[in-house]
Amino acid sequence: MWTKESLQETIQSRMSDYRLIIASNRQPFRHAVEGGRIVCQREPGGLVTALHPVMEAAQGTWVAVGTSETDRQVLDSNQRVMLPPGKPSYPLRRIFLTKEDRNHYYYGYSNEGIWPLCHIAHTRPVFRESDWKSYQKVNQRFAEAILEEVGTQKAFVWVHDFHLALVGKYLKEAGASNIITSLFWHIPWPNPEMFRVCPQKKELLEGFMAYDLVGFQIRYHADNFLATVDRELESRIDREKTSVWYKEHETLVRPFPISVDFAAVSAEAESEETRERGRRLGEEFSFGGKQLVVGVDRIDYTKGIPDKLRAIDRFLEKYPEFKEKFVFFQLGQISRIHLTRYKDLNDEINALVEEINWKHSQGSWAPIVFTRRYLSYQDILALYRLSDACMVSSLHDGMNLVAKEYVASRSDLNGVLILSQFTGSSREFEDALLVNPYDTEAAAEAVYQALTLAGEERQKRMKKMRETIEQNNIYRWVGKVLSQLLKFEFQETA
Ligand code: F6P
């Protein structure tokens, strides 16, 4: 089984001659001022959940976008800061963007263009030429920073997600022959019919073709990608190897289902400190003596939060005996709030919470607690442990690591996972209560089932899910990607 230690050993024994550079838009930690002093806070999102433990083990360099003046203040003269606080293991190199580029590259092309293009969630993608220009420019800046970090050393550059599809192309154009490049696409890839509406489809796909290895969460997305390339580029697809030849360069295309640090989450979740945090949260939110269902999501229209709220409403309509005996706690992490679609979603959620709470409230009890407050990683684990069930209702999701973290945190085997069948993780979790979040009746029934499932049955299901991710943990994911990258190197030097 892959562990943090075995990954470290592999890296030391087989990769000591190479630098490992990870690049992503989102940084793992941000610095902020709280109560007059600088604090370092872990950022939300699956990408950070997955890659932070990897970087602790691999000790590479992480290149990402800094977002505040405080983020800038803590940097050394090479634009770096060591992470994580208290246990410095790897440097984060921060890039800073102008407000204009944040608008066009991040909000515009990445989140109004590619994000809705790749998720089937009924939000129309918008493509503007000015956004595309900025997307190119910022990708170029990432490539420049990476080249500075690498220098003349041999390096594996591992680029993450839809913000940075073109970085590999710019590295290649700079003639960096000492670099092997890989892109991991954390979100779904649509079918060719969907993708063809993108005005820059050819340029984007050509960007992919500059990488040596391109990874997707599940085979279905990798297959969609190959079908798209087949339709849009004059290329040769090798079905045996699942690779694409384009202009005399071969790009391998593989599914690598991402995961979490199972052992660390499991241990942290059962620690005394987590228990204490749980006690405090329970007091603060008055969970005492009630059954608890939790949800933890970035506030994004792909996560199906309104659908989840409607399922809770329907559950209480059908099973009023749960009134005053149950709480649904939803943590919503604010994200991309400058976009109208996200503002509207926040308004919609506020209105729904208000309406459902008003409809079902009795005395001082209301069924839904919705908070946008920052809760630390440990608080979230404490919340998982307090709960009877966790509900993930994504309308479309590459993987969804909340589901995996929840399972990893339940070493007591006492939680039930209600999971949308439209997440990548549903492929691994057959023992979750799988639901179609568009089907309010079925989702409400799943809540009922979760809260009434016999102890033995819930333990049996949780045990099986835990076995799955104990094996398919984050170190295995990295190990598989790095093993693949090492093969490239062997080919070159043979
Ligand atoms: O996994 C998808 C993803 O967009 C990541 O790239 C990102 O870190 C996370 O979700 C959070 O999104 P954002 O950084 O836009 O808030």
Side-chain angles (χ1 to χ4, degrees):
M1 194 195 314
W2 280 92
T3 61
K4 191 171 196 168
E5 291 69 35
S6 64
L7 178 69
Q8 256 158 353
E9 265 169 45
T10 306
I11 289 171
Q12 275 154 22
S13 63
R14 298 185 62 194
M15 290 178 53
S16 55
D17 294 346
Y18 308 97
R19 296 284 309 276
L20 176 66
I21 311 276
I22 284 189
S24 66
N25 174 75
R26 180 60 85 129
Q27 55 180 349
F29 287 81
R30 63 174 167 232
H31 287 87
V33 179
E34 253 184 31
R37 60 187 192 94
I38 294 183
V39 292
C40 185
Q41 296 172 331
R42 188 175 158 136
E43 293 272 25
L47 185 137
V48 174
T49 303
L51 289 180
H52 171 65
V54 170
M55 288 304 269
E56 283 191 304
Q59 299 178 346
T61 300
W62 192 325
V63 182
V65 175
T67 50
S68 70
E69 250 330 285
T70 319
D71 273 348
R72 199 192 290 272
Q73 274 167 27
V74 297
L75 298 182
D76 66 18
S77 56
N78 295 316
Q79 307 297 305
R80 295 194 199 125
V81 60
M82 289 300 290
L83 291 177
K87 196 176 143 215
S89 321
Y90 63 90
L92 167 69
R93 159 125 186 206
R94 285 187 172 131
I95 290 179
F96 290 89
L97 306 180
T98 60
K99 195 166 169 189
E100 214 192 341
D101 279 332
R102 281 195 68 70
N103 274 336
H104 292 292
Y105 142 80
Y106 173 73
Y107 287 110
Y109 203 80
S110 300
N111 285 313
E112 285 193 292
I114 304 183
W115 181 265
L117 178 73
C118 289
H119 287 92
I120 306 166
H122 317 288
T123 291
R124 185 190 189 285
V126 178
F127 299 101
R128 303 178 195 90
E129 188 57 23
S130 52
D131 292 346
W132 170 241
K133 291 238 152 62
S134 170
Y135 185 85
Q136 290 172 298
K137 184 173 139 201
V138 174
N139 275 242
Q140 176 93 54
R141 282 206 51 206
F142 262 90
E144 284 160 16
I146 290 168
L147 287 169
E148 269 175 39
E149 290 295 327
V150 171
T152 52
Q153 248 185 296
K154 289 204 263 183
F156 292 123
V157 172
W158 195 8
V159 177
H160 289 267
D161 233 349
F162 58 100
H163 315 86
L164 302 176
L166 306 178
V167 171
K169 178 181 112 149
Y170 294 127
L171 291 171
K172 205 170 167 195
E173 282 175 6
S177 56
N178 52 335
I179 297 179
I180 304 282
T181 58
S182 175
L183 173 69
F184 188 76
W185 198 255
H186 288 250
I187 64 175
W189 187 271
N191 65 35
E193 283 309 299
M194 294 285 292
F195 187 76
R196 68 204 268 252
V197 305
C198 175
Q200 295 81 22
K201 56 189 175 188
K202 186 151 183 283
E203 293 95 319
L204 266 181
L205 289 174
E206 280 179 343
F208 277 79
M209 294 299 107
Y211 289 100
D212 299 301
L213 174 67
V214 171
F216 292 93
Q217 300 280 18
I218 56 175
R219 177 160 299 282
Y220 184 65
H221 300 153
D223 287 348
N224 273 351
F225 176 76
L226 289 172
T228 307
V229 172
D230 202 14
R231 165 96 63 107
E232 303 294 347
L233 291 184
E234 275 192 31
S235 55
R236 185 166 65 78
I237 302 206
D238 184 332
R239 302 268 165 204
E240 279 292 302
K241 280 177 81 183
T242 57
S243 70
V244 186
W245 280 96
Y246 182 68
K247 294 191 177 162
E248 288 164 37
H249 177 258
E250 186 180 25
T251 301
L252 288 188
V253 178
R254 294 275 186 281
F256 296 107
I258 200 168
S259 192
V260 293
D261 187 346
F262 177 84
V265 174
S266 204
E268 181 100 46
E270 57 190 18
S271 71
E272 194 41 54
E273 195 199 329
T274 305
R275 227 187 301 270
E276 178 51 29
R277 281 172 189 262
R279 208 188 47 71
R280 286 202 299 261
L281 285 170
E283 252 171 37
E284 183 182 347
F285 292 106
S286 314
F287 294 151
K290 300 183 192 75
Q291 285 194 288
L292 176 65
V293 177
V294 295
V296 174
D297 300 278
R298 265 188 323 103
I299 304 180
D300 192 293
Y301 55 84
T302 61
K303 303 292 180 187
I305 299 171
D307 305 77
K308 190 158 31 177
L309 296 172
R310 279 192 282 270
I312 298 296
D313 178 28
R314 185 68 190 125
F315 159 71
L316 286 169
E317 277 175 3
K318 289 179 84 173
Y319 303 103
E321 64 273 24
F322 279 86
K323 289 188 181 185
E324 293 184 279
K325 300 200 180 88
F326 148 91
V327 177
F328 173 63
F329 181 94
Q330 173 72 44
L331 173 64
Q333 294 151 332
I334 296 273
S335 170
R336 309 173 192 172
I337 195 65
H338 299 303
L339 295 178
T340 314
R341 182 67 184 85
Y342 287 74
K343 275 193 211 116
D344 292 350
L345 174 65
N346 272 276
D347 291 347
E348 184 188 355
I349 289 171
N350 287 346
L352 263 175
V353 170
E354 171 67 31
E355 184 192 316
I356 298 168
N357 274 345
W358 173 248
K359 179 168 156 191
H360 297 287
S361 66
Q362 289 186 353
S364 62
W365 175 85
I368 299 172
V369 178
F370 191 100
T371 181
R372 292 177 175 80
R373 201 175 90 186
Y374 174 82
L375 284 192
S376 71
Y377 172 63
Q378 284 83 4
D379 285 336
I380 294 172
L381 294 185
L383 198 62
Y384 290 157
R385 287 291 285 223
L386 286 180
S387 72
D388 295 280
C390 175
M391 190 168 186
V392 175
S393 55
S394 308
L395 306 182
H396 200 192
D397 214 331
M399 179 53 65
N400 194 284
L401 290 183
V402 166
K404 290 194 172 178
E405 268 194 328
Y406 184 72
V407 169
S409 76
R410 295 314 298 254
S411 53
D412 59 346
L413 307 185
N414 267 328
V416 179
L417 177 64
I418 305 169
L419 179 61
S420 160
Q421 57 193 232
F422 307 129
T423 56
S425 21
S426 68
R427 316 257 163 155
E428 289 170 81
F429 288 153
E430 284 166 12
D431 289 284
L433 301 182
L434 294 177
V435 291
N436 171 356
Y438 291 87
D439 184 346
T440 310
E441 272 321 294
E445 274 308 312
V447 175
Y448 178 74
Q449 202 192 339
L451 294 178
T452 53
L453 204 62
E456 210 177 294
E457 176 67 14
R458 57 166 55 208
Q459 296 195 355
K460 197 173 91 197
R461 285 171 181 258
M462 184 52 81
K463 192 157 176 281
K464 277 166 81 181
M465 291 193 285
R466 284 175 64 79
E467 281 163 9
T468 303
I469 46 163
E470 185 170 20
Q471 285 291 331
N472 296 338
N473 62 37
I474 188 65
Y475 300 107
R476 180 160 190 256
W477 178 72
V478 189
K480 284 174 89 173
V481 174
L482 293 184
S483 311
Q484 195 67 59
L485 291 175
L486 280 161
K487 283 190 203 148
F488 285 110
E489 192 58 16
F490 291 148
Q491 275 168 13
E492 281 209 341
T493 51

